[in-house]
Each structure stands twice: as C-alpha cells, then as structure tokens.
Amino acid sequence: MIKSEIDRRVNGETKIMGVLGNPIEHSISPQIHNTISKLLCVNSIYVPFLCSQEDLEKAVNGLRALNIYGFNVTIPYKEKIISLLDECSEEVKLIGAANTVVNKKGRLIGYNTDGDGFATSFENSTNKSFVDKDIIVLGAGGAARATALKTAKMGAKTITLVNRTVIKAAEIADMINNNTSCKAVPVSNSDKNLAKLLEKSDIIINTTPVGMHPDTNKCPIQEDITFSSRQIVYDLIYNPSETLLLKKARKEGALTINGLGMLIYQATLAYEIINEIDIPEQILKKIFLSFTNFDK
Ligand code: NAP
C-alpha cells in the first residue's frame, strides 16, 4: 500500500485542533500549527473550521462534544466566543476577546495570545523594552486592546489611544488606567495636536486595517507627519509586508516592523497553551524563518 504523508501522520489517536472563523481560507494558522506538530513529532492535526454567525453556538458545542483538543478563534468571533466558554483567563476578561480555546475534559477555557505574540515579536526585532516609553496606538479594536494592555503591563510610561470613534479609545484608556500603573489617554484621529503627539512618541503601533491589501495606497496618519531615527513603528498588518506607513517611517530613519512576527508568535504561544508544552528555542527559530518569507 502506498502511504502519503497524511496517512502516516493521522491515525486513531490523532488529536484534532483547528481555527474557527469566517472567512477562514486566508488563514496560515493550519500551516504554522501542522509544521510545529511535524517538527516536534506530536500526533495532532490542525484544520480550518468555517462557521456562519448563526451556527456559532452549535459549532462550539460540536467542538466540545467531539473532544477537539483545542482551537484558535479569528475574525469575526474573538469577542462573541467569550459567552460560549466555561472559563476565561484574566487577560481575556480585560481585553474582551479570546483567540485560543483549550478543551479540558469538556470545559472550554479561553486565552488571548495576541498581546504576548506582539511583545515577543517587538522584543526580538528591536532588542528594546516598553519600559518608560511614550507609546501611540492607532485604532481601538480588539488588537488595540491586546497590544495596549500588554505594553502597559510591561512598563510603558504613557499610551495615547488614537481612534476615529473616540469613545472606544476612551474605554481602552479606562481599562488600562484602572488595571496598570501606565497613564493612558484617548485622542480623536482628527485632533489638531495629533502630529505633535506622534512626533514626540517613542513607539507607534498601527492596529487599524488602514493600508492592508488591497487598499495599499492608504495610510492611517496624515502624510505630512515626520518620523525620526529614535522612533520605532510597528504595523500589525503583514500583507503587504511593507505598508505605506512603514515605508514612510523607514525612509525617515525609524526602525520598522510588520505584523508577521506577531502572527507567528501568537500561533506558537497558542500551540504551547493547547498542547501544554514549551516549544524549544531552535524549533521556534526554524518556524519563524520558514514563515517570514510569506507574502501573499
Ligand atoms: P477591529 O476590532 O475591527 O478594530 C479595527 C480598528 O481600526 C477600529 O478601532 C476602527 O475604528 C479602526 N479603523 C478601521 N477602519 C478604519 C479607517 N478606515 N480609518 C480609521 N480607522 C479605522 O479589528 P482588530 O481585530 O483590532 O484588527 C485590526 C488590524 O490588526 C487588522 O488589520 C488585523 O488584520 C490586524 N491584526 C493583526 C494581527 C497579527 O498577528 N499581525 C493580530 C490581530 C489583528 P472605529 O473604532 O472607529 O471603527
């Protein structure tokens, strides 16, 4: 009998993991998780779970009933999943979104690895920390909540949350001011002092989708704002690999980083939580290198 790789890897004891979302076709999580399992010789398989809004509750109960080992959650269910879980980490409660779910004997427990994935990628790319830094976060959605909370917990001095819907920025600022020693303030993205705030900040993090494929000619800030070589600009977008924001910042001397590292590290951290293992450093490096040339 001819055995394909999938025949060799999947048997009656194979643990099933996956990613729940809609759309899901674009996700590279299956490639990342299946590559880790292969490198670590873990008997598991990771598949996409496409699910409509109306079927979300049924799908989650189905995943529980089928003893799915664990799963990731992506757009648009990171917030909606919470009410369907049995337990959530403190971080999930503060962020209001979960991207990782572990099935512990039928109890579904939610975690969020976006903040840690972001911080790991930032530190590995810059060798710098957030301690005493003045940080600007553009956007006030789920990714902004996760990255702002993480940088605040890791010692940021101030965080300015810039958003077109300023009330959402104010909610995140309250959450940070009530739970960390960092001082957070909300600002409208049409505020007349925005240019000055951006220019004197140490780190700028774009968490809006502005500039993402296919709208690659868009930028989340005014074109006349200038950057300097003491600044770091991190764009959570990874497609394209260099957004208009990053191109402008790099040309003006800032250190620039795209969101691919965050994407990879949030996945490897989720893998560690679901499988209760530490991925060895050399395997993490291998994973990182094999996916950093990814550009759709
Ligand atoms: P979200 O919850 O929908 O939040 C999006 C935020 O961007 C909102 O604050 C929204 O403002 C703002 N925004 C959207 N369109 C805008 C526009 N045209 N002009 C100005 N502001 C705009 O989304 P999310 O889950 O936080 O994700 C945000 C981005 O981060 C996406 O591009 C996503 O792909 C990326 N992301 C990357 C990673 C990674 O691993 N690299 C992980 C998570 C997310 P309003 O509040 O006014 O609507």
Side-chain angles (χ1 to χ4, degrees), residues 68-85:
I68 297 301
Y69 207 65
F71 56 96
N72 289 115
V73 186
T74 188
I75 285 171
Y77 302 132
K78 286 185 185 182
E79 287 94 11
K80 292 187 187 81
I81 193 82
I82 293 181
S83 63
L84 304 172
L85 303 178

Side-chain angles (χ1 to χ4, degrees), residues 32-33 36 72 113 117 120 261-275 277-279 283-284 287-288:
I32 298 178
H33 284 260
I36 303 171
N72 289 115
T113 63
T120 307
M262 173 176 174
L263 180 78
I264 296 168
Y265 288 120
Q266 62 77 28
T268 56
L269 290 162
Y271 189 100
E272 292 184 321
I273 292 173
I274 293 172
N275 292 281
I277 56 164
D278 286 332
I279 303 172
I283 300 277
L284 276 177
I287 300 284
F288 190 79

Side-chain angles (χ1 to χ4, degrees), residues 245-271:
L245 172 71
L246 291 189
K247 191 183 252 176
K248 178 172 165 56
R250 176 178 56 79
K251 281 188 177 161
E252 290 167 13
L255 175 58
T256 59
I257 310 149
N258 71 27
L260 187 56
M262 173 176 174
L263 180 78
I264 296 168
Y265 288 120
Q266 62 77 28
T268 56
L269 290 162
Y271 189 100

